[in-house]
Structure formats: structure tokens, C-alpha cells
Amino acid sequence: MDVAAAHWDKVYDSFTPYEISGNEDKYKFLDFSCSDLSGKKVLEIGCGRGDMSIYLAKKGAIVTAIDNTDNGVLCTQKMMDFNNVALNVVKLDAMQIDELENTFDYVVGRYILHHIEPFNQFVPKMSKVLNTGEKGSFGRIVPRIKF
């Protein structure tokens, strides 16, 4: 396990699930979040606690949530159960998304792009899983964090 994954596993070690509403202001960066997501397939990269995936599922999306940590996956599963929604939760590194069997209408992430290296190899992988004409939406891009 890499240093960043070990860090996030520790952060999520004492996690308690909580309610997610369908009106979360912190997801306004998703320019499509106000549209009808019923039946739209969404991939969240680096789902962490799963709160954005839960939000999107409550908006009607069919969500696949990936994280490269065991505790990220476990937290998302706990959130899924607590919020009574269905998600496909997978332990997978962002650089492996082209191994997913599905394509998606949207690919989203938050606080994740600065962790993906080499980024120039990630972009074609993301393009491969996006349906033609659809897009990715990422929020809260922060400077590189040293672990």
C-alpha cells in the first residue's frame, strides 16, 4: 500500500456514517447535479467516505464508487447502508478505471486529481470509460499534500 492510501486508511479508521440529503451545497461544482440524474451512470473516483456517491444516488444516478483503500470502501458501504441507497463500491486505483466493464455518463471526483500520477496517462483512461459526448467534473483541486 502506498503512503497516501495508508494515510487515508488511518483517517477513516474510526468512521461513523451520517445522513446525506439531496440538497448538499458542497456539490454545486457538479454542473449537472441539478439536472435529472435518473438512470445516469456515474463513476466517482476516490470516493473516500462515499458522501458524494450517496448524494448522486439520491438524485437517481446509478453510481459506481471506487477508492484505493480498504477503509474508504468500507466507509462507503456503511454510508450506503445508513442512507438506504444502492451503489457499486469497488476497491480500485484511479489508474485502473479502464479495467471497469462499464462506461459512464459522468466521471466525478473531489480532492482527488492531485493524487493521480502520472496524470497524462489518466486522462485517456478516463476518456475510455466516458460515454461519447459526456464529461468529467472534479472539485476542490488542492496543492500536492506530502505524506
Side-chain angles (χ1 to χ4, degrees), residues 63-88:
V63 180
T64 296
I66 68 166
D67 200 276
N68 69 339
T69 67
D70 292 326
N71 280 349
V73 168
L74 182 61
C75 290
T76 300
Q77 290 168 335
K78 287 179 181 179
M79 287 287 284
M80 177 179 71
D81 293 341
F82 188 87
N83 284 273
N84 197 30
V85 297
L87 304 171
N88 178 28

Side-chain angles (χ1 to χ4, degrees), residues 122-140:
F122 167 73
V123 173
K125 293 171 184 277
M126 184 178 76
S127 295
K128 182 178 176 187
V129 300
L130 269 171
N131 291 328
T132 303
E134 300 299 355
K135 58 186 160 184
S137 186
F138 294 86
R140 307 282 161 97

Side-chain angles (χ1 to χ4, degrees), residues 32-77:
F32 58 83
S33 67
C34 296
S35 63
D36 181 16
L37 293 177
S38 298
K40 296 289 186 181
K41 294 190 299 180
V42 178
L43 171 64
E44 182 184 4
I45 298 173
C47 61
R49 298 178 307 236
D51 50 341
M52 186 162 59
S53 289
I54 301 300
Y55 168 82
L56 293 167
K58 286 187 171 189
K59 292 279 198 181
I62 301 165
V63 180
T64 296
I66 68 166
D67 200 276
N68 69 339
T69 67
D70 292 326
N71 280 349
V73 168
L74 182 61
C75 290
T76 300
Q77 290 168 335

Side-chain angles (χ1 to χ4, degrees), residues 63-115:
V63 180
T64 296
I66 68 166
D67 200 276
N68 69 339
T69 67
D70 292 326
N71 280 349
V73 168
L74 182 61
C75 290
T76 300
Q77 290 168 335
K78 287 179 181 179
M79 287 287 284
M80 177 179 71
D81 293 341
F82 188 87
N83 284 273
N84 197 30
V85 297
L87 304 171
N88 178 28
V89 185
V90 180
K91 182 178 178 188
L92 190 71
D93 187 271
M95 293 300 286
Q96 298 171 310
I97 62 173
D98 57 339
E99 296 174 13
L100 293 169
E101 295 180 8
N102 291 326
T103 58
F104 300 90
D105 298 305
Y106 301 103
V107 176
V108 301
R110 191 169 55 125
Y111 299 110
I112 188 65
L113 291 181
H114 59 283
H115 291 294

